[in-house]
Amino acid sequence: MSGIFEEESSASLNCELNHPRSSCNDGEEHMATMTIRMPDNKHERLRLLAERQGISLNKLVEEWASMALAQFDAEIRFEARAARGHPKRGIALLEKLDAAFAKKGARHKGG
């Protein structure tokens, strides 16, 4: 693709491991280097956001990656459980949970 899409997106990711794959079995956490191309103004805004939060731009991106992976992992676990689950038991459990929340809410409103 060319033109505006390339100029205004972060579509290009280039990842390289700093260590050969054969040395990754030593128990240490190895780091990868990632280059992300994006417009200068977006980079500057992200740098200011990180500065405001008191962290490095690298740490900001690392935190975002951790959140995205946690969300992805939760979706995968949910899909796996749903695939082997029982719809009637699931509905019954949700109804039980609704009742517990309703009871808890009534208790807090009344007193």
Side-chain angles (χ1 to χ4, degrees):
M1 295 189 169
S2 63
I4 295 173
F5 180 77
E6 277 186 11
E7 293 171 10
E8 295 182 1
S9 75
S10 59
S12 176
L13 297 179
N14 178 15
C15 297
E16 298 175 11
L17 282 178
N18 292 331
H19 306 281
R21 287 257 182 226
S22 60
S23 70
C24 288
N25 295 327
D26 58 9
E28 292 183 30
E29 183 177 9
H30 295 280
M31 300 294 223
T33 301
M34 182 170 36
T35 303
I36 303 173
R37 288 194 291 236
M38 68 177 63
D40 289 341
N41 65 338
K42 188 180 291 184
H43 176 262
E44 179 62 15
R45 290 180 65 209
L46 289 171
R47 187 191 64 73
L48 291 171
L49 174 62
E51 183 179 302
R52 185 174 184 147
Q53 293 183 7
I55 59 177
S56 69
L57 182 54
N58 187 73
K59 184 67 176 172
L60 179 72
V61 173
E62 185 182 349
E63 288 178 2
W64 289 347
S66 294
M67 289 188 296
L69 290 172
Q71 181 181 355
F72 176 73
D73 291 345
E75 287 177 24
I76 296 300
R77 283 192 305 272
F78 178 81
E79 289 171 357
R81 286 184 177 186
R84 67 175 189 261
H86 304 281
K88 287 183 181 180
R89 285 188 2 201
I91 296 297
L93 182 59
L94 289 173
E95 288 173 350
K96 184 177 178 181
L97 185 61
D98 283 344
F101 278 125
K103 184 177 179 182
K104 184 177 181 180
R107 199 172 350 145
H108 285 297
K109 287 180 184 177

